[in-house]
Amino acid sequence: MSVFSPKQSSRNKTDDQASSGPIRYEGNLLAAPMEIHKETGRIVLSQKTRLWFRAAVCLWGTVVFLMPFIIYSELFSSETTRITCDRGAGECAVDGRTKDVPRLTGLKRAEMDRDYNRRDGVNYGINLVDSNGKKYSIEQQRAIKASVIADYRSAVKIINAFLADPNQQKLDISFTYRAGLWEIFQSFFYLMFGAGTLFVAALLWTRRTCTFESGKASIAVNRPFRHSRREIAGYQITALSTRQVLNRRLVELKLNDGSNLPIVDASQTDGPSVDQLVSDLAQLLGKRVEDAPATT
């Protein structure tokens, strides 16, 4: 369990709170403050990951869940954009929509829009440009695949030919976006990366509860889709060990199999509060306290 720096700065304040109720210890970036509940014959230490982290994991999980549908769409579907213009009505429409599309009388030309970004590399779109130089993007997806770019260029030429010929009364053309192999490969990569990071995040999403009662202890760790609980009988605990590692104060349970089970990891300045907790645990468990040599 990660550690916890108590907010109490004096021994008297700790003693006043030792009888019952929660004592909140400062957490860290991922861990919410630890709570220590002291009751008659029972001490419970509990801590869970912070709310912002759990919310971020849920949001990221939603994104990862949607990735297979995106990949399926890239593999088996396409997006077609239809451009229509009518000189009699004096307007143009994109997929039947005239909003945000310049009127035909103010339309000067169509042009390819070249752009670059790290994810997709060089990509192309189509802009309609009015007499004031304002550009209106009309594509649904940026073109990356060579055949799609060629289809976009052909559409631009047809639109400009229509604008240059006042005798042509109507225009009705379309161009189609299809994902290229590189785009599909990137989506697979992001799916694998997302699933991996989600797995790691799920391991960090924990709620750990240590319950100490007369002569025994139990450790419960809850994670998404996995729960574990360890019961430790009194005879398995040989002592409580405290030691200093750099500027940290560690409290561990020494077990009869020679292993140490971490309980508290606090800052050196929290010594009085940690000493009080160790004293209460030793009395409740009926075990001695050992001060191990400091580690640098």
Side-chain angles (χ1 to χ4, degrees):
M1 183 152 111
S2 49
V3 171
F4 316 88
S5 302
K7 294 181 179 178
Q8 295 79 5
S9 59
S10 67
R11 179 66 176 271
N12 291 336
K13 187 173 182 180
T14 304
D15 292 340
D16 291 341
Q17 292 178 309
S19 58
S20 63
I23 303 176
R24 295 182 67 82
Y25 279 67
E26 200 173 309
N28 53 39
L29 179 63
L30 295 182
M34 183 182 71
E35 291 189 358
I36 300 179
H37 293 268
K38 295 184 178 181
E39 306 167 358
T40 302
R42 179 185 174 97
I43 297 176
V44 180
L45 287 67
S46 63
Q47 185 192 28
K48 60 184 178 182
T49 49
R50 292 189 181 274
L51 177 61
W52 72 263
F53 179 80
R54 286 176 281 147
V57 172
C58 291
L59 179 61
W60 186 237
T62 302
V63 174
V64 174
F65 175 77
L66 292 175
M67 282 304 300
F69 298 96
I70 295 175
I71 293 174
Y72 179 87
S73 176
E74 290 178 339
L75 285 171
F76 302 107
S77 66
S78 60
E79 295 185 34
T80 299
T81 302
R82 183 185 180 192
I83 308 295
T84 58
C85 293
D86 188 336
R87 290 193 188 276
E91 62 183 15
C92 292
V94 178
D95 293 331
R97 172 181 51 84
T98 59
K99 184 180 179 181
D100 298 326
V101 180
R103 290 189 60 82
L104 182 57
T105 54
L107 186 57
K108 186 177 180 180
R109 69 179 184 277
E111 65 179 19
M112 290 291 287
D113 174 29
R114 184 183 187 276
D115 194 13
Y116 174 86
N117 60 57
R118 291 185 178 181
R119 181 185 185 276
D120 299 322
V122 178
N123 55 87
Y124 293 85
I126 299 178
N127 288 334
L128 298 180
V129 184
D130 65 15
S131 57
N132 296 319
K134 186 175 179 180
K135 298 179 179 180
Y136 300 82
S137 177
I138 62 173
E139 83 284 342
Q140 297 184 41
Q141 292 278 2
R142 306 287 295 183
I144 299 173
K145 188 178 180 181
S147 61
V148 177
I149 296 173
D151 192 22
Y152 281 26
R153 290 190 188 279
S154 177
V156 168
K157 290 180 180 179
I158 295 173
I159 294 173
N160 285 330
F162 168 78
L163 296 175
D165 183 4
N167 295 321
Q168 189 175 350
Q169 293 300 307
K170 292 187 178 181
L171 172 72
D172 189 345
I173 64 168
S174 61
F175 53 90
T176 301
Y177 164 83
R178 294 183 179 83
L181 290 177
W182 175 245
E183 295 170 84
I184 297 171
F185 171 79
Q186 283 184 312
S187 296
F188 270 110
F189 171 79
Y190 288 129
L191 174 61
M192 296 299 101
F193 175 79
T197 54
L198 186 62
F199 175 77
V200 173
L203 293 179
L204 297 175
W205 180 334
T206 60
R207 180 184 181 94
R208 187 179 187 191
T209 303
C210 303
T211 303
F212 302 92
E213 298 177 276
S214 179
K216 65 178 182 179
S218 64
I219 311 294
V221 180
N222 295 330
R223 295 187 176 92
F225 314 111
R226 192 177 74 175
H227 308 280
S228 62
R229 184 178 181 87
R230 180 180 180 183
E231 300 288 345
I232 305 172
Y235 73 88
Q236 295 177 288
I237 305 172
T238 60
L240 276 84
S241 173
T242 65
R243 60 191 176 96
Q244 182 177 327
V245 179
L246 299 176
N247 62 339
R248 309 300 298 172
R249 184 80 179 278
L250 304 184
V251 180
E252 302 170 318
L253 291 180
K254 293 189 67 175
L255 304 182
N256 58 3
D257 61 1
S259 63
N260 290 347
L261 184 62
I263 299 300
V264 174
D265 175 0
S267 67
Q268 186 176 359
T269 57
D270 299 324
S273 297
V274 175
D275 290 340
Q276 179 63 43
L277 176 60
V278 170
S279 177
D280 292 341
L281 288 174
Q283 182 177 357
L284 182 63
L285 296 172
K287 304 298 178 180
R288 69 181 188 277
V289 177
E290 297 180 356
D291 292 323
T295 303
T296 58

